[in-house]
Amino acid sequence: MKRSVKKSMLAGLATLSVVALSACGASSSASPAAGGKPGLTKINVGVIPIVDTAPIWLGKKKGFFAAEGLDITIEPTTGGAASVPGVVAGSYDFAFGNYVSVMVAKDKGLDLKYVANGDSSAGSPDFGAVVVPADSPIKTPADLAGKTVAVNNLANIGDTTIRSVVEKAGGDASKIKFVEVAFPDAEAAVKNKQVDAALILDPFLHSAVAHGERVITYNYSAFDPKLDVAGYFTTGDTITNKPDEVKEFKAAMNKSLVYAQAHPDEVRQIVTTYTKMTADQVKAIVLPAYRVDIHGAGMKKLGDAALRYGTIKSAPDLKAMLP
């Protein structure tokens, strides 16, 4: 399938044509290919180049994927909403995406499933937060009601958790206007008063705070202190027809998560290789928790919130969605 065709599918996630792609098994034919390392299965993995995804970059560097027989290529994406059609169309064999992204995709009939966890809330402070200009009248999450708030993807984990936190603080979450702004552009959007507030993740959060923007809420940890934010998923077709590849990826990814959690200094160093952050800047960022096991209670709470706010139409089948 030509790349131009794959790109065109990004706009049609909610259409039956995309659902049909899932049914016909559009995931890539990962196999030793031209340009790949001899004896290894070549795979493409879509990830957002933020601190959340440090384990996979570190795992590639440490040779964990090669040890499992995989020649991994990591390709940047903007978020789970873009990763989902990328996996369905076959651009990626696996992709990193927050858990609401796949809840939405499955709600639309797409056959997707997570194979490994990705990152989880670090508590307070956290690696993600809603920030406002230094001189903003917004002082608490409740004050976000009636304001314009930027998130990287609409109808996703950002607006779902923010709505919940605002309601908990006594604000009217239905009056928030959410707009889509990529993480690298969110700081400027806040500074230039294009939005009243923005959800920003590290390494961009560190830059925003360093330049004077104020944190209003660490929305992930405020939603649930042990919230699992994102993981790595693939199609049901890949799970059925390429079980060895899935098993190898899961083993390598889990090893990467364990290693990253135990070696924060190496995590900070690897972040400088795929972002523009310097070694000095990365010292100050908050790292996510990297763990293999998924916090079931937090995931159910997330699914319930997504249903309550209309992000999905039916309660997610977590057993069918999670590893």
Side-chain angles (χ1 to χ4, degrees):
M1 183 178 290
K2 294 183 179 178
R3 187 166 297 275
S4 61
V5 175
K6 294 172 187 172
K7 287 183 178 179
S8 69
M9 293 172 184
L10 297 179
L13 179 58
T15 66
L16 290 176
S17 61
V18 176
V19 178
L21 274 174
S22 180
C24 69
S27 62
S28 74
S29 56
S31 61
K37 297 179 181 179
L40 301 183
T41 300
K42 185 174 178 58
I43 62 170
N44 292 328
V45 183
V47 307
I48 316 173
I50 52 179
V51 67
D52 307 45
T53 59
I56 196 169
W57 299 87
L58 189 56
K60 179 179 180 179
K61 179 182 178 181
K62 303 299 293 187
F64 298 156
F65 291 91
E68 294 293 334
L70 301 175
D71 177 10
I72 181 174
T73 296
I74 302 174
E75 299 187 9
T77 71
T78 59
S83 298
V84 166
V87 168
V88 171
S91 299
Y92 313 128
D93 299 287
F94 304 90
F96 176 89
N98 72 72
Y99 286 103
V100 175
S101 291
V102 169
M103 290 181 189
V104 171
K106 291 187 74 67
D107 199 51
K108 295 179 184 298
L110 297 178
D111 184 16
L112 300 174
K113 184 171 183 176
Y114 284 93
V115 297
N117 205 359
D119 70 313
S120 309
S121 169
S124 183
D126 208 354
F127 64 94
V130 176
V131 303
V132 298
D135 61 353
S136 172
I138 299 172
K139 303 298 182 183
T140 72
D143 296 333
L144 293 171
K147 301 299 190 295
T148 299
V149 181
V151 291
N152 69 313
N153 291 143
L154 296 175
N156 221 284
I157 193 169
D159 46 23
T160 297
T161 53
I162 292 169
R163 282 189 173 102
S164 180
V165 171
V166 168
E167 280 191 353
K168 185 178 180 181
D172 186 349
S174 68
K175 293 184 178 180
I176 304 173
K177 179 182 178 182
F178 288 100
V179 296
E180 192 166 293
V181 179
F183 290 134
D185 303 319
E187 179 185 349
V190 172
K191 181 179 179 180
N192 297 330
K193 306 295 179 70
Q194 295 171 306
V195 296
D196 298 304
L199 170 61
I200 307 181
L201 271 56
D202 271 326
F204 310 107
L205 174 60
H206 171 74
S207 173
V209 173
H211 292 150
E213 293 178 8
R214 289 189 291 108
V215 171
I216 291 300
T217 177
Y218 296 107
N219 53 295
Y220 293 153
S221 59
F223 179 85
D224 188 287
K226 295 183 179 180
L227 182 67
D228 295 302
V229 176
Y232 292 84
F233 63 92
T234 189
T235 63
D237 179 74
T238 295
I239 290 173
T240 299
N241 297 317
K242 301 177 182 177
D244 290 340
E245 181 181 303
V246 172
K247 181 179 179 181
E248 291 160 0
F249 179 82
K250 181 177 181 178
M253 197 62 241
N254 285 349
K255 188 172 183 179
S256 299
L257 291 168
V258 171
Y259 190 89
Q261 183 65 23
H263 298 84
D265 289 343
E266 291 188 50
V267 169
R268 295 179 189 279
Q269 191 282 324
I270 201 72
V271 169
T272 66
T273 67
Y274 63 87
T275 73
K276 295 181 179 180
M277 291 198 78
T278 67
D280 286 339
Q281 291 172 329
V282 82
K283 288 179 182 178
I285 67 174
V286 175
L287 298 180
Y290 302 117
R291 62 171 181 251
V292 172
D293 295 330
I294 293 175
H295 177 51
M299 194 61 57
K300 184 180 185 305
K301 184 178 178 182
L302 186 61
D304 290 344
L307 180 62
R308 183 167 69 254
Y309 299 127
T311 305
I312 52 178
K313 296 179 180 179
S314 58
D317 183 349
L318 297 181
K319 185 176 181 181
M321 187 184 92
L322 301 176

